[in-house]
Amino acid sequence: MKSLFIKPSDFSSRISDKPLVVFKYLLAGLSLYQAFLWFLDRNAIFFDNGLFPDQLLKSFYPNGLYSFGESYGVLLIGLQALIAIIAVLSMRSQNVAFFFLFLIEAFLRKRNFFFTNAGDSLLGALCLFAALTPAVKWKKNDHSKIKVGDLLALYILYSIIYFQNFYFKLQSRWITGEGLRDTLRHQELARFAMDSFANSRAVVILNHIALLLVLVSAFSPWIHPRHRKLKYVFWASTVAYHVGANALMDLSWLSVPFLSLQILLWGKIETSEPVPENNYSWSWRNVIGLCLCLLGFWGVRRADELAAFADHANIVFVHNWNMFAPPPPLTGRWEAIVKGPNGSTLKVDEEGIKKILSLRDSQHEYKYLYNLRRTEAFPVRRQLQKFLCEKIGKSGDEVQLNYQAHFFESDESRTIAFAPRPCN
């Protein structure tokens, strides 16, 4: 009976390098797009008169490790774009380019952790693991091959991501069927009002289907390519999971790095020539890749044990893949109130605040406002108040921030008022 899963004896088998070529080109394209998004929001994120200037970073990095001037921030973004282009055009320098993309992405993500998410983390991790695969290039009528084992570390990383997410979901309200309901009621990301749908019985069923799809996704890389129909079912399940999430929530490009992994699953094992049993020799690339994967396993821990900002300086491959697990505990809207010395009051709702922020990337905007409510975000809120003073206030005014929160578990709503800041 033919094995359902890939065996160690299959590691030395040959597969087409075309899926790896497409995967690497897509990674380079995503890095280029990420650099473009950083560039669009450079004024708000990197400049001293914006939302996250270098002086603010000293609140989180007292040694100034990730502090640099405005011009250096733009230079680093330009360097990321240039190296992404080199990764596509130069086969000889391809893996070195991907390694430097990993370093730049990690640096920018740590410096701008207030604006980043799991998609940014995965993009950096994939750039690192792509640097540990053979250099490849698209050539017309070319039938170059790589070994199945050359993708082993990427396959393991793929499984780590979904197994960890499944584990975290089991530790939260997803196991009782309430995880998806709370996620859909998270109005900061919802594409449309879903309160009535979120409270329906159908969502409980979809909740458990989503759990099953995450578990199925974890096994996808290991289905033997000879079982094309079954592999297609597993592949389609993962794609459906991410496409469905994007249909219901505004995730921007968050799911694209996850979907890029699906490309690697379509390599067909060549059977035209016999392959010796257990003839796979371990390359230094795979040894390093497997060590990094083990570090990923070492990073597994319960989501409720994580401090609010404890992970912002972690190396990229120790990311805890706890996306929406546990589901968001609350949802809410921000409001700014500008009070004049003569008793005048100007109220600005969240949509008005977003227009003033002028962040072009919706994920940068979402993560900034989401993280703003954390206790440790006090210096960031003060910087926002200063920013609002400069944009809509005047000398003698004071700006107060309110967060109108709704807590899912207790079904309680209340307004959290933060201390006002005078406009000097």
Side-chain angles (χ1 to χ4, degrees):
M1 182 178 178
K2 293 182 178 179
S3 174
L4 179 63
F5 299 102
I6 293 174
K7 308 187 302 294
S9 59
D10 294 315
F11 293 166
S12 57
S13 300
R14 298 284 179 173
I15 57 175
S16 171
D17 68 351
K18 290 295 188 292
L20 181 60
V21 174
V22 176
F23 171 72
K24 283 192 167 185
Y25 284 4
L26 180 57
L27 279 190
L30 285 172
S31 295
L32 188 62
Y33 181 63
Q34 185 189 51
F36 175 66
L37 293 177
W38 286 129
F39 181 77
L40 286 180
D41 290 335
R42 65 192 182 282
N43 292 334
I45 297 177
F46 293 99
F47 283 37
D48 284 338
N49 61 349
L51 302 172
F52 214 66
D54 281 355
Q55 61 195 25
L56 176 61
L57 283 173
K58 293 178 182 178
S59 303
F60 300 98
Y61 299 110
N63 59 5
L65 180 61
Y66 296 101
S67 182
F68 49 82
E70 299 168 355
S71 58
Y72 289 102
V74 176
L75 179 63
L76 199 60
I77 296 169
L79 189 61
Q80 182 182 16
L82 177 62
I83 295 177
I85 295 172
I86 293 174
V88 173
L89 298 181
S90 175
M91 184 172 175
R92 180 174 295 180
S93 306
Q94 184 181 86
N95 287 345
V96 175
F98 274 112
F99 180 72
F100 277 102
L101 282 177
F102 155 71
L103 292 179
I104 292 174
E105 193 282 335
F107 190 93
L108 286 172
R109 185 172 55 84
K110 290 174 185 179
R111 194 256 179 218
N112 305 320
F113 68 94
F114 219 79
F115 301 87
T116 57
N117 53 41
D120 297 281
S121 300
L122 180 59
L123 178 59
L126 293 182
C127 285
L128 176 60
F129 278 75
L132 299 174
T133 60
V136 289
K137 189 174 183 178
W138 187 275
K139 297 177 183 177
K140 192 175 181 180
N141 299 323
D142 180 62
H143 301 286
S144 298
K145 304 290 188 295
I146 59 173
K147 292 181 179 180
V148 173
D150 291 330
L151 302 178
L152 183 60
L154 274 166
Y155 286 171
I156 293 177
L157 175 66
Y158 183 111
S159 291
I160 285 175
I161 291 168
Y162 289 101
F163 270 127
Q164 283 197 16
N165 188 241
F166 181 73
Y167 168 78
F168 285 129
K169 280 183 165 62
L170 290 183
Q171 308 299 313
S172 69
R173 285 161 64 87
W174 283 85
I175 195 64
T176 61
E178 298 171 293
L180 182 59
R181 185 193 69 182
D182 292 351
T183 301
L184 294 179
R185 294 169 67 194
H186 188 57
Q187 59 185 340
E188 290 96 324
L189 281 180
R191 290 191 181 277
F192 44 87
M194 290 186 283
D195 279 355
S196 57
F197 174 64
N199 292 318
S200 66
R201 191 166 187 81
V203 169
V204 178
I205 299 173
L206 289 175
N207 177 101
H208 294 298
I209 291 175
L211 270 177
L212 179 62
L213 292 180
V214 173
L215 183 60
V216 166
S217 298
F219 286 101
S220 292
W222 309 106
I223 302 297
H224 200 288
R226 72 166 65 95
H227 302 285
R228 301 291 287 178
K229 292 182 179 179
L230 181 62
K231 201 168 185 69
Y232 176 78
V233 170
F234 275 60
W235 173 86
S237 299
T238 305
V239 171
Y241 175 78
H242 287 290
V243 171
N246 275 276
L248 296 172
M249 296 179 289
D250 181 14
L251 299 178
S252 184
W253 65 289
L254 172 63
S255 292
V256 180
F258 293 90
L259 289 170
S260 69
L261 282 166
Q262 309 308 310
I263 298 169
L264 296 174
L265 305 186
W266 288 101
K268 182 179 180 181
I269 291 182
E270 300 294 320
T271 57
S272 55
E273 56 186 60
V275 178
E277 291 285 324
N278 302 317
N279 194 36
Y280 181 68
S281 57
W282 291 85
S283 67
W284 64 269
R285 290 190 183 94
N286 268 329
V287 171
I288 293 175
L290 291 175
C291 288
L292 296 180
C293 287
L294 288 174
L295 285 173
F297 276 119
W298 186 262
V300 178
R301 54 195 183 277
R302 286 176 57 90
D304 56 9
E305 294 174 359
L306 301 177
F309 284 131
D311 285 340
H312 71 259
N314 275 6
I315 46 180
V316 68
F317 42 82
V318 191
H319 183 90
N320 287 270
W321 305 105
N322 58 320
M323 301 150 292
F324 299 105
L330 73 160
T331 187
R333 308 291 288 179
W334 283 99
E335 176 188 61
I337 301 177
V338 183
K339 299 178 181 178
N342 57 356
S344 62
T345 301
L346 172 65
K347 289 188 177 182
V348 184
D349 62 11
E350 184 163 297
E351 291 306 313
I353 293 174
K354 289 179 180 179
K355 289 179 181 178
I356 297 171
L357 297 182
S358 298
L359 288 170
R360 303 288 294 276
D361 178 30
S362 62
Q363 278 300 306
H364 288 167
E365 182 180 76
Y366 162 69
K367 289 301 293 187
Y368 176 77
L369 293 174
Y370 181 86
N371 286 324
L372 201 64
R373 68 194 188 193
R374 298 179 187 269
T375 304
E376 298 91 330
F378 169 75
V380 186
R381 287 193 297 272
R382 299 296 281 179
Q383 178 65 25
L384 174 59
Q385 289 170 311
K386 177 184 176 183
F387 185 81
L388 293 174
C389 276
E390 294 170 355
K391 296 296 182 180
I392 58 175
K394 55 184 182 293
S395 182
D397 291 348
E398 65 176 22
V399 175
Q400 179 175 325
L401 292 174
N402 294 333
Y403 186 67
Q404 299 162 344
H406 179 78
F407 297 84
F408 295 133
E409 193 164 1
S410 62
D411 199 23
E412 172 194 2
S413 296
R414 69 172 183 264
T415 298
I416 303 172
F418 296 95
R421 172 174 179 155
C423 298
N424 300 323

